Amino acid sequence: MITISKWKCSWSLMATIASIVALVSVVHLFLFPVVPSFDPFSVWQVQDSCGPNNESVDGRTGHDPGNLQPVLDLEHKFPADLHRAVFYRNAPWKAEIGRWLSGCDAVTKEVSVVETISGRSCKNDCSGQGVCNYELGQCRCFHGFSGEGCSERLHLECNYPKSPELPYGRWVVSICSAHCDPTRAMCFCGEGTKYPNRPAAETCGFQLSLPSELGAPRQVDWAKPDLDIYTTNKSKLGWCNVDPAEGYANKVKFKEECDCKYDCLSGRFCEVPVQCSCINQCSGHGHCRGGFCQCANGWYGTDCSIPSVTSSVREWPRWLRPAQLDVPDNAHLTGKLVDLNAVVKKKRPLIYIYDLPPKFNSLLLEGRHFKFECVNRLYNDNNATIWTDQLYGAQMALYESILASPYRTLNGEEADFFFVPVLDSCIITRADDAPHLSMEQHLGLRSSLTLEFYRKAYDHIVEHYPFWNRSSGRDHIWSFSWDEGACYAPKEIWNSMMVVHWGNTNSKHNHSTTAYWADNWDKISSDRRGKHPCFDPDKDLVLPAWKRPDVNALSTKLWARPLEKRKTLFYFNGNLGPAYLNGRPEALYSMGIRQKLAEEFGSTPNKDGNLGKQHAENVIVSPLRSESYHEDLASSVFCGVMPGDGWSGRMEDSILQGCIPVVIQDGIYLPYENVLNYESFAVRILEDEIPNLIKILQGFNETEIENKLTSVQKIGQRFLYRDSMLLEAERQKTAFGYVEDWAVEFLRLTEDDVVATFVQVLHYKLHNDPWRRQLGSQKKDFGLPQECLMRTS
């Protein structure tokens, strides 16, 4: 509601208020968003089986101390099946969780939430080299700039200090013999060449020698620059002066090792400017500059999705509309822009997302030296979306979905959870990118460097926000995407909820399991890490890894293939260790689990020419890369799920192609395993039982197998980041007026995806986590019947 009193004020303030009045009626004006052609959150359709008790005896919603008997008997209304599962929205949940979701989540009502639209100014408007956070009045500076007003220019070297033996310093990804851009530590051809902005990164700028043996790659001499890349002689291997047209027509030679490593450029000669990859592509309110969103005036946030008081109300995101605005009566007393309160109807759980300094996210994206790092999509010459196989792309997908979610709130007082967006997928992949990201003080350990990033993020939110201390961080959520998940989380944040891909409880494998020494966390001091396990099933959650959209698999419905068309009993295709050609040489790889499987059931000869001791015709265990991997999975009844250096994507592969997963990794939780009932759709055997694997699988009768296959098909979409993909489809439709084949297929999917499942888990935790019960009831409207809130009293 807008309230306007008689008051004297400056004309500038009057103009500001007038602009708001022009957009919002003085009556209770509700601004309904334009209905999109598809809604990423259309899966949330509520069944109204019981109504909420909106008022209580003591004035708190849903809490009546005089009536402690639940209205609904959830246990009898939602009985468990033979596997002790309760189905909710086609997923077999653990009984207690499934009952609560069926009786409570299904009847959640909207509540009124006051969202504050801020208007604090930043020093010198960030000097045009940053984005102003209008909530804190702090600048978020672009790569290469610093200071309170982003007026300080940094000098970031591409090379380490030189020595007589190494005139360009020791190797680093950013090593440069050409022109170094000191704002990003990136290497380009530079002035004096025909194409000064063409990348001349890493190998491109140095001499190569012939390989030492047949088939081996050429060796790079990091001490000798390759001056031929500047040549105008068409018979030499040039680069910086090569005309693209002549290059494509083979009229000129060019160095094959030179390419477009950096984002925002495409074409063999980097001649085509294309969209850069940014978080939510800046939400239509900014320009993506290599990974950092340069927001339009009046907008801020890592994806430019947060409006300030100077923004147009009609352009506000859907999660802030429809809104009822209230302009404070005392606004005229300050003569300055004032914060506005917008009342918005939302369903819980409400998630507050910290707008962290960009060193934890945007700068990591803007400064990346290889365009495929961190992100799950790029853009081709026509700016069409190219989905990537980036293993760690789930972190970006989840972050983007939460930022655009109707469960998002700007009101930390009303928030139920707090999401801390540190992108460890970028930190680790970029650890060797440039000297300013030096790991020298971390003894070369990427795990140690990453721990430090998380600890500094903790320091920041404790210093600048009041929310952490209220629960000792237990309502905070941290995402860890790397191979061993939250094993290297700093001790300060361990109370929080960890969202990971690796649920190692350390009950058996109580040490670092990776074969990459730089990621090993065993050597990190307990003074920094503490002595926590990698995963606590009572508070943490394993989410599925990112899988690139496969249009063919979706359109042909491989996942729905019936049992009679699945001729292979057991299938596993992947690296089997040192006994096989091109196998990983480390004995530690996969904790030896894949090696044990191959010893028993290997269907491809190892280096000694031997098959597995129990090899069988309908059992495939092979390291040879399959050209029809998804088809092979869809032709199998059971599929192996074993670790790599930590988590692997085998669980996702199995589920998405309708194959019953066989989990072989003791003490390690897989996606959703602490919330879904795995007995309904999976088989778990102990590592010591590997020799009995086939006998165990043959022990299931046809009815049991059919039931598991049916359950696998029902939960398949919960292993896809459908929401993130539809957000991109919506952006592309806005830009080009049509959707591509991958979007058409995903629009046909209607079941809950990863993000919907994540929100459902949060909703259950909000009313069932023991620490919240101990903390006591909060004076909030939860939009739920009384019996659903009993546990918070």
Side-chain angles (χ1 to χ4, degrees):
M1 168 165 38
I2 294 183
T3 306
I4 301 179
S5 304
K6 293 181 179 179
W7 31 281
K8 297 179 180 179
C9 63
S10 67
W11 285 107
S12 61
L13 178 59
M14 183 65 77
T16 300
I17 300 301
S19 67
I20 297 172
V21 174
L23 294 172
V24 187
S25 169
V26 292
V27 208
H28 293 179
L29 175 64
F30 288 88
L31 296 172
F32 290 92
V34 177
V35 178
S37 56
F38 45 82
D39 182 0
F41 290 91
S42 61
V43 296
W44 298 99
Q45 297 177 4
V46 176
Q47 307 168 24
D48 192 0
S49 60
C50 65
N53 178 6
N54 287 321
E55 289 298 330
S56 62
V57 173
D58 65 353
R60 288 176 289 183
T61 301
H63 178 69
D64 180 357
N67 180 15
L68 296 180
Q69 295 301 317
V71 177
L72 287 177
D73 186 344
L74 296 179
E75 185 171 353
H76 286 88
K77 185 168 184 177
F78 305 104
D81 63 15
L82 294 177
H83 292 300
R84 299 180 300 281
V86 172
F87 275 77
Y88 174 64
R89 298 186 65 84
N90 263 345
W93 298 81
K94 292 191 172 182
E96 182 181 358
I97 300 174
R99 289 189 184 109
W100 191 90
L101 292 174
S102 298
C104 300
D105 183 75
V107 298
T108 306
K109 301 297 183 183
E110 291 180 334
V111 299
S112 294
V113 180
V114 178
E115 304 282 12
T116 299
I117 310 301
S118 302
R120 294 188 184 182
S121 61
C122 288
K123 183 178 180 181
N124 298 330
D125 201 23
C126 303
S127 307
Q129 298 297 340
V131 175
C132 179
N133 177 311
Y134 294 102
E135 178 187 6
L136 301 176
Q138 296 177 353
C139 287
R140 304 295 193 230
C141 303
F142 301 143
H143 214 293
F145 296 89
S146 184
E148 185 181 354
C150 301
S151 58
E152 300 173 21
R153 184 181 289 267
L154 302 176
H155 189 90
L156 306 176
E157 296 285 355
C158 289
N159 302 334
Y160 279 111
K162 64 182 180 180
S163 66
E165 297 79 18
L166 296 171
Y168 298 94
R170 62 183 175 85
W171 175 85
V172 65
V173 172
S174 61
I175 192 169
C176 181
S177 68
H179 168 71
C180 178
D181 175 0
T183 63
R184 294 181 293 166
M186 290 184 175
C187 191
F188 297 89
C189 287
E191 293 184 9
T193 65
K194 188 174 181 180
Y195 301 98
N197 296 320
R198 182 175 288 174
E202 206 176 6
T203 308
C204 178
F206 292 88
Q207 293 184 24
L208 300 168
S209 59
L210 294 175
S212 55
E213 56 185 66
L214 189 64
R218 294 201 288 173
Q219 301 296 309
V220 186
D221 189 338
W222 300 111
K224 296 180 180 179
D226 185 355
L227 301 181
D228 281 351
I229 65 171
Y230 305 108
T231 187
T232 55
N233 186 336
K234 298 181 180 181
S235 63
K236 291 186 176 181
L237 299 177
W239 177 249
C240 292
N241 293 300
V242 172
D243 182 272
E246 292 185 335
Y248 285 122
N250 295 319
K251 294 180 178 180
V252 59
K253 292 184 176 182
F254 57 90
K255 189 173 181 179
E256 294 286 346
E257 286 75 14
C258 296
D259 58 16
C260 292
K261 284 184 169 66
Y262 304 152
D263 198 5
C264 317
L265 296 171
S266 185
R268 180 62 187 85
F269 303 95
C270 315
E271 76 278 11
V272 183
V274 298
Q275 275 196 80
C276 312
S277 296
C278 268
I279 300 169
N280 277 329
Q281 297 309 114
C282 309
S283 307
H285 298 298
H287 164 69
C288 179
R289 39 173 293 157
F292 198 127
C293 281
Q294 183 171 354
C295 300
N297 185 42
W299 295 85
Y300 68 106
T302 55
D303 66 341
C304 303
S305 62
I306 310 177
S308 75
V309 294
T310 62
S311 65
S312 168
V313 182
R314 296 189 184 277
E315 295 180 358
W316 283 8
R318 285 198 292 268
W319 53 272
L320 283 176
R321 296 188 293 170
Q324 180 179 331
L325 299 184
D326 178 24
V327 178
D329 290 339
N330 63 347
H332 65 289
L333 299 178
T334 63
K336 299 179 181 179
L337 291 176
V338 293
D339 290 351
L340 299 177
N341 288 332
V343 180
V344 186
K345 294 287 187 180
K346 293 177 177 288
K347 290 182 180 180
R348 294 188 185 273
L350 298 178
I351 306 171
Y352 180 93
I353 306 171
Y354 286 106
D355 184 43
L356 295 179
K359 65 181 178 181
F360 298 109
N361 37 63
S362 297
L363 286 182
L364 292 167
L365 290 168
E366 185 183 8
R368 70 194 196 280
H369 283 65
F370 187 46
K371 64 176 73 175
F372 286 93
E373 290 175 339
C374 317
V375 300
N376 54 22
R377 65 177 180 274
L378 296 170
Y379 297 91
N380 67 12
D381 295 5
N382 298 315
N383 279 327
T385 308
I386 303 173
W387 294 108
T388 75
D389 286 314
Q390 169 57 250
L391 286 175
Y392 311 103
Q395 189 170 59
M396 180 72 81
L398 178 65
Y399 184 24
E400 289 183 321
S401 287
I402 298 175
L403 284 167
S405 168
Y407 297 95
R408 182 182 180 183
T409 181
L410 300 175
N411 188 339
E413 302 297 332
E414 283 285 349
D416 304 308
F417 294 93
F418 297 82
F419 187 79
V420 191
V422 178
L423 298 183
D424 74 320
S425 59
C426 277
I427 299 167
I428 290 186
T429 54
R430 290 206 52 214
D432 294 319
D433 266 10
H436 65 273
L437 293 170
S438 173
M439 291 195 297
E440 290 179 355
Q441 61 179 315
H442 298 282
L443 303 176
L445 292 174
R446 302 192 300 187
S447 53
S448 175
L449 173 71
T450 307
L451 180 150
E452 195 64 18
F453 266 83
Y454 280 92
R455 190 192 59 78
K456 288 179 179 178
Y458 158 80
D459 290 341
H460 174 81
I461 62 178
V462 168
E463 178 181 354
H464 293 280
Y465 298 88
F467 310 123
W468 178 274
N469 290 334
R470 297 177 184 179
S471 67
S472 298
R474 287 176 291 189
D475 51 6
H476 283 55
I477 303 170
W478 304 75
S479 168
F480 285 80
S481 69
W482 208 246
D483 293 354
E484 292 192 79
C487 295
Y488 47 74
K491 62 183 181 181
E492 290 85 355
I493 72 171
W494 187 248
N495 275 343
S496 302
M497 178 183 181
M498 307 295 161
V499 174
V500 298
H501 302 314
W502 177 247
N504 189 0
T505 61
N506 302 114
S507 58
K508 178 175 181 178
H509 303 285
N510 57 357
H511 52 79
S512 183
T513 59
T514 181
Y516 286 115
W517 71 269
D519 293 346
N520 192 295
W521 49 267
D522 288 334
K523 296 182 180 180
I524 298 178
S525 167
S526 60
D527 292 339
R528 300 174 61 215
R529 180 188 173 275
K531 296 182 179 180
H532 62 73
C534 297
F535 180 80
D536 181 349
D538 290 333
K539 68 179 183 66
D540 303 331
L541 182 66
V542 181
L543 287 183
W546 168 259
K547 287 296 173 179
R548 180 174 58 84
D550 187 324
V551 175
N552 180 64
L554 286 173
S555 61
T556 57
K557 296 186 177 181
L558 292 179
W559 51 271
R561 185 169 288 174
L563 176 59
E564 58 267 22
K565 292 187 177 182
R566 295 177 179 266
K567 302 302 182 183
T568 302
L569 176 65
F570 178 84
Y571 180 84
F572 182 81
N573 181 226
N575 200 301
L576 297 176
Y580 289 83
L581 190 65
N582 300 320
R584 287 283 296 272
E586 309 93 343
L588 282 176
Y589 178 68
S590 188
M591 299 174 285
I593 298 172
R594 295 189 186 190
Q595 294 89 316
K596 292 176 184 176
L597 181 75
E599 288 175 11
E600 296 292 334
F601 305 105
S603 56
T604 299
N606 60 20
K607 291 178 181 177
D608 295 329
N610 297 324
L611 297 173
K613 291 181 288 187
Q614 301 185 58
H615 71 274
E617 185 177 348
N618 64 344
V619 175
I620 297 176
V621 176
S622 175
L624 302 179
R625 182 178 292 274
S626 172
E627 297 299 325
S628 55
Y629 180 57
H630 289 167
E631 173 71 27
D632 293 344
L633 289 165
S635 300
S636 305
V637 180
F638 298 98
C639 295
V641 177
M642 288 155 284
D645 282 292
W647 64 267
S648 72
R650 306 300 176 165
M651 184 69 178
E652 293 80 354
D653 292 339
S654 300
I655 294 288
L656 292 176
Q657 305 312 327
C659 186
I660 300 170
V662 179
V663 181
I664 311 175
Q665 38 194 303
D666 296 353
I668 298 168
Y669 279 71
L670 276 292
Y672 309 132
E673 193 169 1
N674 55 336
V675 292
L676 294 186
N677 186 293
Y678 259 48
E679 192 176 342
S680 300
F681 61 87
V683 177
R684 183 180 265 282
I685 74 167
L686 297 174
E687 294 166 24
D688 290 341
E689 294 178 326
I690 288 176
N692 300 320
L693 170 65
I694 301 306
K695 292 179 181 178
I696 293 172
L697 299 183
Q698 290 173 337
F700 290 99
N701 62 45
E702 186 172 329
T703 301
E704 291 173 315
I705 292 174
E706 290 278 14
N707 288 339
K708 286 184 183 292
L709 285 173
T710 299
S711 293
V712 167
Q713 293 174 11
K714 287 181 178 179
I715 65 170
Q717 293 179 37
R718 292 182 184 268
F719 285 73
L720 283 173
Y721 287 86
R722 172 179 173 267
D723 179 69
S724 174
M725 296 169 192
L726 291 188
L727 288 172
E728 175 65 8
E730 186 175 357
R731 290 190 289 265
Q732 290 292 65
K733 185 175 183 181
T734 299
F736 302 113
Y738 65 91
V739 294
E740 297 181 61
D741 290 346
W742 59 265
V744 172
E745 290 302 326
F746 273 84
L747 283 166
R748 291 178 176 146
L749 305 179
T750 58
E751 300 292 337
D752 294 350
D753 75 334
V754 172
V755 178
T757 309
F758 176 60
V759 171
Q760 288 161 8
V761 172
L762 292 185
H763 202 194
Y764 173 79
K765 289 174 66 66
L766 172 60
H767 297 288
N768 294 275
D769 272 349
W771 70 263
R772 290 188 188 264
R773 184 165 64 248
Q774 295 166 4
L775 199 64
S777 183
Q778 302 178 43
K779 294 184 178 180
K780 292 181 180 179
D781 184 355
F782 289 100
L784 285 173
Q786 175 188 319
E787 65 273 12
C788 297
L789 305 178
M790 286 279 292
R791 296 168 186 266
T792 64
S793 62

